[in-house]
Short mmCIF file of all heavy atoms in Angstrom, two decimals:
data_model
loop_
_atom_site.label_atom_id
_atom_site.label_comp_id
_atom_site.label_asym_id
_atom_site.label_seq_id
_atom_site.Cartn_x
_atom_site.Cartn_y
_atom_site.Cartn_z
N ILE A 6 -24.16 -55.57 23.53
CA ILE A 6 -23.60 -54.21 23.32
C ILE A 6 -24.58 -53.27 23.88
O ILE A 6 -25.72 -53.17 23.50
CB ILE A 6 -23.36 -53.88 21.76
CG1 ILE A 6 -22.45 -54.87 21.20
CG2 ILE A 6 -22.78 -52.51 21.67
CD1 ILE A 6 -22.05 -54.64 19.75
N GLN A 7 -24.11 -52.35 24.79
CA GLN A 7 -24.92 -51.29 25.36
C GLN A 7 -24.95 -50.02 24.41
O GLN A 7 -23.87 -49.58 23.92
CB GLN A 7 -24.58 -50.80 26.72
CG GLN A 7 -25.37 -51.60 27.73
CD GLN A 7 -24.61 -51.89 28.91
OE1 GLN A 7 -23.58 -51.35 29.26
NE2 GLN A 7 -25.09 -52.94 29.67
N LEU A 8 -26.09 -49.46 24.14
CA LEU A 8 -26.23 -48.45 23.22
C LEU A 8 -27.13 -47.31 23.78
O LEU A 8 -28.05 -47.64 24.52
CB LEU A 8 -26.83 -48.92 21.90
CG LEU A 8 -26.03 -49.80 20.93
CD1 LEU A 8 -26.78 -50.31 19.79
CD2 LEU A 8 -24.78 -49.07 20.52
N ASP A 9 -26.88 -46.15 23.37
CA ASP A 9 -27.74 -45.05 23.61
C ASP A 9 -29.06 -45.21 23.03
O ASP A 9 -29.19 -45.51 21.73
CB ASP A 9 -27.24 -43.70 23.18
CG ASP A 9 -28.01 -42.50 23.68
OD1 ASP A 9 -27.67 -42.03 24.75
OD2 ASP A 9 -28.88 -42.12 22.93
N ARG A 10 -30.16 -45.05 23.76
CA ARG A 10 -31.61 -45.37 23.23
C ARG A 10 -31.94 -44.44 22.10
O ARG A 10 -32.55 -44.87 21.04
CB ARG A 10 -32.54 -45.13 24.44
CG ARG A 10 -33.97 -45.11 24.10
CD ARG A 10 -34.67 -44.50 25.21
NE ARG A 10 -34.36 -45.03 26.55
CZ ARG A 10 -35.13 -46.13 27.01
NH1 ARG A 10 -36.12 -46.62 26.44
NH2 ARG A 10 -34.78 -46.69 28.20
N PHE A 33 -33.05 -56.90 19.73
CA PHE A 33 -33.04 -55.39 19.77
C PHE A 33 -34.43 -54.85 20.37
O PHE A 33 -35.46 -55.64 20.34
CB PHE A 33 -32.90 -54.80 18.43
CG PHE A 33 -33.88 -55.15 17.48
CD1 PHE A 33 -35.09 -54.46 17.24
CD2 PHE A 33 -33.78 -56.43 16.73
CE1 PHE A 33 -36.06 -54.83 16.36
CE2 PHE A 33 -34.80 -56.81 15.77
CZ PHE A 33 -35.91 -56.09 15.64
N ALA A 34 -34.40 -53.75 20.92
CA ALA A 34 -35.57 -53.23 21.53
C ALA A 34 -36.53 -52.62 20.48
O ALA A 34 -36.04 -51.83 19.71
CB ALA A 34 -35.26 -52.12 22.63
N THR A 35 -37.76 -52.82 20.60
CA THR A 35 -38.76 -51.94 19.98
C THR A 35 -39.49 -51.29 21.18
O THR A 35 -39.22 -51.44 22.31
CB THR A 35 -39.81 -52.83 19.20
OG1 THR A 35 -40.74 -53.45 20.16
CG2 THR A 35 -39.10 -53.80 18.29
N VAL A 38 -41.69 -54.77 23.09
CA VAL A 38 -40.81 -55.65 23.93
C VAL A 38 -39.54 -55.80 23.10
O VAL A 38 -39.46 -55.36 21.92
CB VAL A 38 -41.47 -57.08 24.10
CG1 VAL A 38 -42.68 -56.87 24.91
CG2 VAL A 38 -41.72 -57.86 22.78
N TYR A 39 -38.61 -56.54 23.55
CA TYR A 39 -37.38 -56.88 22.77
C TYR A 39 -37.71 -57.94 21.65
O TYR A 39 -38.49 -58.86 21.96
CB TYR A 39 -36.26 -57.37 23.67
CG TYR A 39 -35.38 -56.25 24.31
CD1 TYR A 39 -35.79 -55.50 25.24
CD2 TYR A 39 -34.09 -56.05 23.69
CE1 TYR A 39 -34.94 -54.43 25.76
CE2 TYR A 39 -33.27 -55.02 24.10
CZ TYR A 39 -33.71 -54.25 25.25
OH TYR A 39 -32.90 -53.32 25.72
N THR A 127 -38.46 -47.45 17.76
CA THR A 127 -37.11 -47.18 18.35
C THR A 127 -36.12 -46.88 17.27
O THR A 127 -36.00 -47.55 16.25
CB THR A 127 -36.67 -48.33 19.17
OG1 THR A 127 -36.79 -49.64 18.38
CG2 THR A 127 -37.49 -48.58 20.42
N VAL A 129 -33.02 -47.74 17.31
CA VAL A 129 -32.15 -48.90 17.01
C VAL A 129 -32.76 -49.79 16.05
O VAL A 129 -32.12 -50.27 15.09
CB VAL A 129 -31.79 -49.58 18.42
CG1 VAL A 129 -33.03 -50.33 19.05
CG2 VAL A 129 -30.75 -50.62 18.15
N PRO A 154 -39.68 -60.34 26.97
CA PRO A 154 -38.57 -59.51 27.57
C PRO A 154 -38.89 -58.00 27.37
O PRO A 154 -39.20 -57.67 26.26
CB PRO A 154 -37.39 -59.94 26.77
CG PRO A 154 -37.92 -60.42 25.44
CD PRO A 154 -39.38 -60.76 25.65
N THR A 155 -38.74 -57.20 28.42
CA THR A 155 -38.74 -55.75 28.31
C THR A 155 -37.41 -55.13 28.64
O THR A 155 -37.41 -53.87 28.60
CB THR A 155 -39.87 -55.23 29.18
OG1 THR A 155 -39.67 -55.65 30.44
CG2 THR A 155 -41.29 -55.65 28.72
N ARG A 156 -36.49 -55.93 28.90
CA ARG A 156 -35.12 -55.51 29.25
C ARG A 156 -34.16 -56.46 28.60
O ARG A 156 -34.41 -57.65 28.46
CB ARG A 156 -34.86 -55.47 30.76
CG ARG A 156 -35.63 -54.34 31.35
CD ARG A 156 -35.84 -54.60 32.86
NE ARG A 156 -36.98 -53.88 33.22
CZ ARG A 156 -36.92 -52.93 34.23
NH1 ARG A 156 -35.91 -52.81 34.93
NH2 ARG A 156 -38.02 -52.27 34.47
N ALA A 157 -32.93 -55.96 28.22
CA ALA A 157 -31.83 -56.76 27.64
C ALA A 157 -31.51 -57.92 28.67
O ALA A 157 -31.27 -58.99 28.15
CB ALA A 157 -30.65 -56.01 27.31
N GLU A 158 -31.63 -57.70 29.87
CA GLU A 158 -31.30 -58.77 30.79
C GLU A 158 -32.24 -59.95 30.73
O GLU A 158 -31.83 -61.15 30.88
CB GLU A 158 -31.32 -58.31 32.28
CG GLU A 158 -30.40 -57.16 32.65
CD GLU A 158 -31.07 -55.80 32.43
OE1 GLU A 158 -31.77 -55.28 33.21
OE2 GLU A 158 -30.76 -55.31 31.27
N LEU A 172 -28.59 -55.98 21.44
CA LEU A 172 -28.38 -54.55 21.40
C LEU A 172 -29.16 -54.05 22.66
O LEU A 172 -30.44 -54.04 22.61
CB LEU A 172 -28.88 -53.89 20.07
CG LEU A 172 -28.00 -54.44 18.90
CD1 LEU A 172 -28.71 -53.72 17.64
CD2 LEU A 172 -26.53 -54.16 19.01
N ASP A 173 -28.47 -53.66 23.73
CA ASP A 173 -29.15 -53.23 24.98
C ASP A 173 -29.30 -51.67 24.89
O ASP A 173 -28.39 -50.92 25.13
CB ASP A 173 -28.25 -53.66 26.16
CG ASP A 173 -28.78 -53.22 27.41
OD1 ASP A 173 -29.86 -52.59 27.59
OD2 ASP A 173 -28.12 -53.48 28.52
N THR A 174 -30.63 -51.32 24.82
CA THR A 174 -30.94 -49.86 24.92
C THR A 174 -31.83 -49.50 26.10
O THR A 174 -32.51 -48.58 26.09
CB THR A 174 -31.62 -49.28 23.63
OG1 THR A 174 -32.68 -50.21 23.25
CG2 THR A 174 -30.61 -49.24 22.43
N GLY A 175 -31.77 -50.47 27.11
CA GLY A 175 -32.49 -50.25 28.28
C GLY A 175 -33.94 -50.77 28.15
O GLY A 175 -34.34 -51.36 27.23
N PRO A 176 -34.81 -50.36 29.18
CA PRO A 176 -36.19 -50.90 29.22
C PRO A 176 -37.04 -50.38 28.05
O PRO A 176 -36.83 -49.26 27.61
CB PRO A 176 -36.75 -50.41 30.57
CG PRO A 176 -35.61 -49.93 31.34
CD PRO A 176 -34.49 -49.67 30.36
N THR A 177 -37.97 -51.20 27.64
CA THR A 177 -38.87 -50.72 26.47
C THR A 177 -39.92 -49.84 27.19
O THR A 177 -40.31 -49.92 28.35
CB THR A 177 -39.52 -51.94 25.79
OG1 THR A 177 -40.45 -52.63 26.71
CG2 THR A 177 -38.51 -52.82 25.32
N SER A 178 -40.54 -48.97 26.27
CA SER A 178 -41.35 -47.97 26.81
C SER A 178 -42.85 -48.32 26.96
O SER A 178 -43.50 -47.95 27.96
CB SER A 178 -41.31 -46.73 25.93
OG SER A 178 -41.71 -47.01 24.63
#
Side-chain angles (χ1 to χ4, degrees):
I6 304 181
Q7 262 146 22
L8 291 176
D9 186 87
R10 168 202 307 268
F33 58 93
T35 75
V38 300
Y39 271 76
T127 50
V129 66
T155 54
R156 292 158 198 235
E158 302 87 84
L172 300 176
D173 178 0
T174 51
T177 63
S178 56

